[in-house]
Amino acid sequence: MSDSTTMTSPLHDRHVGLGAKMADFSGWSMPIEYPGGGVVAEHTAVRERVGLFDVSHLGNASVRGPGAKDFLNTCLANDLDRIEPGKAQYTLCCDEDGGVVDDLIAYLRSEDDVFLIPNAANTAEVVRRLQLEAPAGVEVSDEHREHAILALQGPAVDEVMTALGLPTGHGYMSFVDTTWEGVPVTVCRTGYTGERGYELVCASADAGALWDALVAAMEPYAGIPCGLGARDTLRTEMGYALHGNELSREITPVMGRTAWAVGWDKPTFWGKDALTRQREAKECRLSRGLLVTGRGIPRAGCTVLDQDGTEVGVVTSGTFGPTLRRGVALALLDRTIAEGTPLVVDVRGRRVEVEMSRPPFVAGGAAG
């Protein structure tokens, strides 16, 4: 990892000061875990109490100008007409062949102002594609380095937010533009853990003070900073797709089981024809959940076999699920495999027994 090419969060010095284990994540040096228990302790804090993540590696882009929302609606897969200003929407940017360039969140501020949060590695490509298609008067701007994003997640989030005077109680996938200590903050009821949570977007220069205040406000609830390792185990237990694993240029929304985020009735969006054909053909493999019934942890890339030893799929994400105390995985499987079917995963030549199980593997409180 070269210091000359690796990007850092505005909170990098705080992570280093806490002794975090840092690693490259999509070209960013980000905390994977902190001392004092590591991934399992951080995962448990979020499920049972509250945890704070720095996700400032995520991208930021704005689409502004007359008809900005309508323009985006001809590009991105989900239907922005389904939501109103003040709401956020999970959506997809697809190739014409249906492959997924990125999955992202769109914040609808008005008909003429939409804020996007793509994944770190894909922000520039999403912006490039939108800029190529944008009509006169609509400006698409890459704001990746201008903002920081903090994710506060867990059952005690409302108490922590209230302690700082930040808004709570707005509905799932809605957001509020507010101020804290005189600086602008966007507070959205979203997250990637399955628990009740808020994602706070602020200017990069204001991130340090907000982080410090949140860390202090968490202390009465035994809340702790959490790294991206716990973020991954939390999302896998919920069965949430990760771009590059469950979604990619080769894995479409139909295959990745995110077709619910496609506005099938819209006149047009990137990849509509190819996705419609694939959906109607009902031939492709589908993303499914696997629960380990034996001993071992499936990992991405491992082959899934039926009881006769015939290949029926491939693992796209696999980890130890701290809540369940056993391995969990997501896999692309032949669509003939029924829920509850016993299977095995080839983990470096050793067969690990699993069964197909519909995610989420745990009951989160995200929409509460």
Side-chain angles (χ1 to χ4, degrees):
M1 186 166 66
S2 170
D3 290 340
S4 62
T5 58
T6 302
M7 293 176 283
T8 58
S9 156
L11 300 167
H12 181 79
D13 290 346
R14 282 167 172 78
H15 303 317
V16 172
L18 289 170
K21 177 182 178 181
M22 307 295 290
D24 178 78
F25 194 90
S26 298
W28 290 68
S29 177
M30 297 299 293
I32 302 303
E33 61 181 66
Y34 296 86
V39 170
V40 172
E42 294 164 17
H43 179 111
T44 303
V46 172
R47 287 276 183 253
E48 298 180 357
R49 305 182 306 277
V50 63
L52 177 63
F53 299 84
D54 176 15
V55 290
S56 299
H57 62 295
L58 294 177
N60 305 272
S62 68
V63 182
R64 297 190 181 98
K69 185 204 82 171
D70 290 340
F71 157 64
L72 272 180
N73 221 18
T74 66
C75 303
L76 304 182
N78 211 337
D79 190 351
L80 283 167
D81 286 336
R82 292 172 174 171
I83 65 171
E84 59 191 23
K87 297 285 188 178
Q89 183 182 75
Y90 176 81
T91 189
L92 303 135
C93 174
C94 296
D95 267 330
E96 287 304 325
D97 65 2
V100 180
V101 176
D102 197 24
D103 61 338
L104 59 157
I105 302 288
Y107 289 57
L108 180 61
R109 288 199 162 100
S110 72
E111 298 285 317
D112 302 333
D113 187 356
V114 186
F115 185 68
L116 304 177
I117 298 186
N119 284 292
N122 303 323
T123 300
E125 179 62 13
V126 170
V127 169
R128 184 191 71 82
R129 289 172 180 248
L130 291 172
Q131 287 175 338
L132 282 175
E133 299 292 332
V138 172
E139 182 179 2
V140 181
S141 303
D142 187 337
E143 301 177 358
H144 203 161
R145 301 307 299 267
E146 297 178 24
H147 304 281
I149 307 175
L150 310 183
L152 189 71
Q153 304 281 295
V157 289
D158 281 17
E159 291 84 346
V160 176
M161 295 282 287
T162 299
L164 268 62
L166 289 165
T168 63
H170 43 296
Y172 186 56
M173 296 299 287
S174 67
F175 66 92
V176 175
D177 288 319
T178 186
T179 59
W180 174 79
E181 299 290 323
V183 301
V185 180
T186 298
V187 178
C188 192
R189 273 276 288 113
T190 50
Y192 197 47
T193 66
E195 298 302 326
R196 183 175 178 86
Y198 298 88
E199 291 181 308
L200 292 79
V201 183
C202 65
S204 296
D206 300 323
L210 182 56
W211 171 272
D212 293 343
L214 288 166
V215 169
M218 287 194 303
E219 288 182 2
Y221 307 96
I224 56 175
C226 301
L228 298 185
R231 191 169 184 260
D232 191 59
T233 57
L234 288 157
R235 72 93 190 169
T236 305
E237 283 190 341
M238 294 302 297
Y240 293 160
L242 174 66
H243 189 271
N245 292 52
E246 286 70 49
L247 297 168
S248 68
R249 299 289 179 95
E250 292 74 38
I251 305 175
T252 70
V254 175
M255 300 168 69
R257 300 299 291 274
T258 55
W260 56 268
V262 175
W264 296 103
D265 295 332
K266 291 198 303 181
T268 185
F269 59 85
W270 293 339
K272 180 178 180 179
D273 291 346
L275 289 171
T276 299
R277 288 193 298 270
Q278 187 179 59
R279 185 192 191 201
E280 292 173 349
K282 297 182 179 179
E283 295 174 349
C284 62
R285 285 179 167 176
L286 301 175
S287 183
R288 306 284 193 180
L290 299 176
L291 276 177
V292 172
T293 56
R295 294 177 60 85
I297 309 296
R299 299 297 183 185
C302 290
T303 302
V304 183
L305 310 169
D306 65 16
Q307 294 294 292
D308 297 325
T310 302
E311 180 182 341
V312 294
V314 62
V315 174
T316 53
S317 292
T319 189
F320 173 73
T323 306
L324 298 173
R325 308 297 299 175
R326 59 169 160 164
V328 295
L330 300 173
L332 277 178
L333 298 180
D334 293 348
R335 59 173 61 221
T336 55
I337 305 298
E339 187 172 346
T341 299
L343 302 166
V344 295
V345 176
D346 185 340
V347 181
R348 296 187 296 274
R350 187 169 67 86
R351 293 194 171 189
V352 174
E353 296 175 344
V354 300
E355 66 178 16
M356 199 185 91
S357 179
R358 184 187 299 273
F361 303 118
V362 299

